[in-house]
Amino acid sequence: MQQRIKPCSICGAFTETDPCYICSNPLRDRSLLCVVEQPLDVQIIEASREFQGLFHVLGGVISPLDGIGPEQLSIGKLLEKVKSENITEVIIATNPTVEGDTTALYLQRVLADTGVKISRLASGLPVGGDLEYADKLTLARSFRGRTTF
């Protein structure tokens, strides 16, 4: 089984067939591209059944302390994809960590002149969570990312 699992040549997600079932599905919205850190993130987002676009796996995050810079990630391939395909929105879904935020900001700068809409997943309080257990950063992000209802 493990011998058959490999990264998809298009998005980088783990798959037994190349291209993966997401990239080869003609019903997916090919104008939306969700950028994630790792292949497992694709499966987590897929399980939510909320996103119907395509994915791009970076293969990590920018982390100077670990010796990982932009050149170690698949950012060049992302830029090629955005420029050559009909992508209208790139959704950055990196984790809300220092490294994830740094990577998101870097991607925002790299993609700024492509003309595509760039968005970031909202972060904040979890469903069922209590305010008394929220840290200051999560609470601050919750206020900044609030929506009208």
Side-chain angles (χ1 to χ4, degrees):
M1 178 76 166
Q2 285 182 329
Q3 296 87 357
R4 295 191 335 234
I5 297 175
K6 57 187 171 279
C8 173
S9 61
I10 297 173
C11 71
F14 290 140
T15 183
E16 289 185 27
T17 59
D18 193 21
C20 70
Y21 73 95
I22 297 169
C23 291
S24 60
N25 183 343
L27 301 177
R28 301 295 290 215
D29 184 345
R30 299 190 173 283
S31 69
L32 296 176
L33 186 64
C34 182
V35 179
V36 296
E37 294 178 16
Q38 301 294 340
L40 182 59
D41 298 334
V42 172
Q43 297 308 315
I44 292 167
I45 292 172
E46 277 294 287
S48 76
R49 299 177 158 286
E50 283 296 316
F51 181 70
Q52 295 303 312
L54 300 176
F55 291 92
H56 180 84
V57 178
L58 292 172
V61 287
I62 296 171
S63 179
L65 293 177
D66 296 321
I68 301 170
E71 53 284 339
Q72 276 80 43
L73 306 176
S74 66
I75 295 173
K77 190 174 179 181
L78 169 65
L79 200 51
E80 282 177 36
K81 196 180 291 186
V82 169
K83 288 179 178 178
S84 67
E85 298 177 22
N86 293 324
I87 306 293
T88 59
E89 182 178 2
V90 173
I91 302 162
I92 301 172
T94 54
N95 290 319
T97 61
V98 171
E99 294 85 359
D101 288 347
T102 300
T103 304
L105 286 171
Y106 182 83
L107 291 176
Q108 180 184 22
R109 271 186 261 148
V110 168
L111 296 168
D113 62 352
T114 62
V116 300
K117 177 181 176 183
I118 303 165
S119 59
R120 177 107 161 93
L121 284 186
S123 60
L125 298 172
V127 173
D130 288 299
L131 287 176
E132 65 184 288
Y133 300 116
D135 60 277
K136 291 176 187 175
L137 181 58
T138 300
L139 199 52
R141 287 182 179 197
S142 297
F143 272 101
R144 284 195 305 267
R146 69 188 183 276
T147 57
T148 305
F149 88 117

